[in-house]
């Protein structure tokens, strides 16, 4: 009987994504809200990437990592939101089996890469504040590039483990996923087999991919704050802290909900709660990142005014 189930998992050739609501009028409202958030995310992050590319004064490690973060955010939301928008206004809300696998894998690659990138950005702030005289010597272009590649390799390899262990299970019906995209915890609920092993693997990977980078970030900021407290000038302390405030904010918004989602046992998961958490670290954080990084950043504002032809006003 077990063999029959494994053979029949191919009979589920597509999944139905239930999304947020079956109410058409509510879906129209949600479509307008998410469409605005999606376009704003693309424009905001795209503008940051463009400004960093065009302004030589922004060709530093900190802004290099910020440009990578913005590109990840644009890719991140594009993996899930366009399909969600289509499903909000169309009767057909299906995704093929292969499409579900691809979406799950790409989403995980980008998310894991971004999580590790935050730890690299924390290390960059640590070197800048704790070892300012050696900053340019330590944070050389080749090292910055190597750290980004390292983050990407973690994303590619660990996402493969997540996806393979999820999709190796038999899926013989029902095929309705109570989510707005193919995320691991939601898909696992449809498996026609025991998912205890998957829950353990998800917890272990969640520990490695979330708590380990968070530990690096925490260690970096302990050293940073110890250094800041030794600065005699109140203005100097405020300036040093302000360079870290944006990073702390985006890490909290992204890692908090993601950790709660992927380190929570499957039996205790709530579909409605999971959708809200996924919406927060997938859509809302990507939308807010360029706002958080630009509103308090004089260099980005100066670069924007320069590109707009108002450079004289920025000086």
């Amino acid at each position: 009987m077990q063999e029959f189930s494994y053979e029949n998992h191919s009979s589920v050739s597509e999944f139905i994504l239930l999304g947020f609501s079956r109410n058409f009028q509510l879906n129209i409202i949600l479509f307008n809200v998410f469409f605005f958030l999606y376009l704003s995310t693309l424009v905001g992050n795209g503008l940051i990437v463009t400004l960093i590319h065009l302004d030589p004064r922004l060709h530093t490690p900190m802004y290099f990592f910020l440009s990578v973060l913005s590109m990840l955010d644009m890719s991140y939301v594009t993996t899930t939101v366009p399909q969600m928008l289509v499903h909000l206004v169309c009767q057909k809300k299906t995704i093929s089996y292969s499409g579900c696998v691809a979406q799950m894998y790409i989403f995980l690659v980008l998310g894991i890469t971004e999580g590790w990138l935050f730890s690299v950005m924390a290390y960059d702030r640590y070197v800048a504040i704790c070892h300012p005289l050696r900053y340019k010597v330590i944070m050389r272009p080749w090292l910055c590039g190597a750290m980004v590649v390292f983050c990407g390799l973690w994303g590619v390899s660990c996402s493969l483990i997540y996806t393979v262990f999820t999709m190796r299970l038999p899926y013989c019906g029902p095929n309705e996923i109570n989510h707005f995209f193919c995320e691991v915890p939601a898909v696992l609920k449809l498996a026609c087999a025991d998912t205890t092993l998957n829950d353990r693997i998800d917890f272990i990977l969640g520990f490695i991919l979330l708590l380990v980078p968070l530990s690096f970030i925490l260690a970096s900021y302990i050293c940073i704050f110890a250094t800041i407290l030794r600065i005699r000038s109140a203005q100097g302390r405020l300036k040093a802290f302000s360079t870290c405030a944006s990073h702390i904010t985006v890490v909290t918004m992204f890692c908090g909900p993601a950790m709660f989602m992927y380190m929570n046992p499957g039996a205790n998961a709530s579909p409605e709660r999971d959708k809200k958490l996924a919406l927060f670290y997938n859509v809302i954080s990507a939308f807010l990142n360029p706002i958080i990084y630009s509103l308090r950043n004089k260099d980005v504002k100066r670069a924007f005014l320069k590109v707009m032809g108002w450079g004289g006003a920025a000086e």
Side-chain angles (χ1 to χ4, degrees), residues 57-132:
R57 287 178 293 189
L58 300 183
H59 293 175
T60 64
M62 183 179 82
Y63 291 109
F64 167 68
F65 295 133
L66 179 56
S67 67
V68 174
L69 176 64
S70 292
M71 288 187 286
L72 284 173
D73 281 339
M74 287 189 289
S75 304
Y76 203 48
V77 294
T78 301
T79 305
T80 59
V81 176
Q83 176 193 255
M84 177 181 68
L85 292 174
V86 172
H87 286 179
L88 283 171
V89 294
C90 294
Q91 292 294 326
K92 189 176 182 181
K93 305 179 187 296
T94 59
I95 182 172
S96 66
Y97 184 91
S98 58
C100 186
V101 174
Q103 184 184 59
M104 180 185 296
Y105 180 69
I106 295 171
F107 177 83
L108 286 169
V109 168
L110 297 170
I112 292 170
T113 302
E114 184 163 324
W116 277 90
L117 181 66
F118 285 135
S119 65
V120 170
M121 296 173 76
Y123 175 73
D124 172 70
R125 291 298 83 209
Y126 160 75
V127 177
I129 293 174
C130 299
H131 305 283

Side-chain angles (χ1 to χ4, degrees), residues 2 6 168-170 191-199:
Q2 185 69 18
Y6 270 82
R168 72 178 179 84
L169 296 173
C192 306
D194 182 21
T195 61
T196 303
L197 176 61
N198 292 77
D199 291 338

